[in-house]
Amino acid sequence: MFINTTSTHNGLFGNSTGTVQNLLVENSWVQGGSATAGIMGNLKGNGSLRNLVNRASVIGTGTVTGGIIGSYESVYDKKGTVENVENQGPVTGLKNVGGIIGTGRSIKISNARNYAEVAGTTTVGGVVASLGSNSELKNASNFAKITGKEYIAGIVGSFGNSYCPASTNYGTMQNVLNRGVIVGTNYAAGVVGQALCVTIKESANADSIIGNKYSAGVVGHAKRSKVESIYNKGEVFGSIDVGGII
């Protein structure tokens, strides 16, 4: 499979509201605009992806790029499901670049692994670039170098919602591990670059974090979020507001 376009919603499948499972994409590359990925450009509603591996190289020239899924779009509060997926192909883009998923909210993700380098500018994650409200992420890991400028992390670049009132919980992350080097400018972290009204537990970083402002081993910036049972074993480099954990 070889795709080279400037259009949106690109991949082996452009759009889906159904189930895609038991699939391997290899010996391929994809280049396209927003919502470009190796397997699914845009997943909607209660669509689901299971048992998938991507080995295609993915290059995004738009605002959302992912190894497995470009974007997930919630429809009438339906919740999508992504489970047992693995990315082995390099992913390069601009904003919202993820090893597994570019952007999504109201989505349940489990058993997701990234083994290839991911590079972008703003909001870059080894698993998900931007994960919005009403989302769950469990049993996820990154084993590759992640690079960018702001909100750069091994698991999720930005998690939650910018509207973050007290006593609000937009989502949960549990049992995640980063084992890749993270290189960014601001808000570079091993697990989450920015956490906004979310819960993060049983999570760890085991590699180096290289940044400038707000660099940390686990979370670069946390607002009204609950963080528990976490640890960092990697070195953290930065100049302003640098933390071993947060």
Side-chain angles (χ1 to χ4, degrees):
M1 176 182 69
F2 300 98
I3 298 174
N4 187 1
T5 179
T6 58
S7 67
T8 63
H9 299 187
N10 305 295
L12 182 63
F13 303 96
N15 296 276
S16 177
T17 58
T19 297
V20 176
Q21 61 186 7
N22 305 325
L23 184 66
L24 165 66
V25 173
E26 60 182 349
N27 301 321
S28 304
W29 61 264
V30 181
Q31 178 171 312
S34 188
T36 287
I39 295 178
M40 181 68 64
N42 184 56
L43 184 68
K44 293 183 179 181
N46 57 0
S48 63
L49 273 65
R50 299 184 177 92
N51 307 323
L52 306 179
V53 176
N54 174 62
R55 293 178 182 166
S57 297
V58 180
I59 300 173
T61 58
T63 57
V64 181
T65 309
I68 302 289
I69 304 171
S71 62
Y72 168 74
E73 183 181 345
S74 177
V75 178
Y76 301 117
D77 295 324
K78 294 179 180 179
K79 203 165 191 174
T81 302
V82 177
E83 58 185 3
N84 195 28
V85 294
E86 186 172 294
N87 178 60
Q88 299 177 13
V91 182
T92 305
L94 302 175
K95 182 180 180 181
N96 298 316
V97 185
I100 301 296
I101 302 175
T103 62
R105 67 177 182 87
S106 295
I107 186 170
K108 184 177 181 180
I109 307 165
S110 61
N111 300 317
R113 301 167 298 280
N114 176 60
Y115 290 94
E117 291 192 17
V118 180
T121 56
T122 303
T123 317
V124 182
V127 176
V128 183
S130 179
L131 189 60
S133 57
N134 193 29
S135 297
E136 302 174 42
L137 175 59
K138 295 183 179 180
N139 306 323
S141 52
N142 171 62
F143 299 91
K145 184 178 181 180
I146 311 298
T147 60
K149 293 183 178 179
E150 288 192 328
Y151 308 116
I152 313 302
I155 305 300
V156 177
S158 181
F159 186 23
N161 194 310
S162 58
Y163 176 68
C164 184
S167 302
T168 299
N169 183 40
Y170 284 127
T172 301
M173 177 185 297
Q174 183 176 3
N175 192 28
V176 302
L177 171 65
N178 173 60
R179 296 186 65 88
V181 175
I182 309 301
V183 181
T185 304
N186 300 327
Y187 306 102
V191 176
V192 178
Q194 175 177 244
L196 304 170
C197 285
V198 294
T199 298
I200 301 170
K201 55 186 178 181
E202 298 170 16
S203 302
N205 172 63
D207 216 321
S208 298
I209 312 299
I210 304 170
N212 184 24
K213 297 181 180 179
Y214 319 117
S215 302
V218 179
V219 180
H221 169 68
K223 180 179 180 181
R224 292 175 175 164
S225 293
K226 184 178 181 180
V227 180
E228 61 181 41
S229 301
I230 61 175
Y231 72 86
N232 171 48
K233 294 174 66 177
E235 294 182 299
V236 182
F237 301 90
S239 60
I240 300 174
D241 294 332
V242 179
I245 300 294
I246 300 175

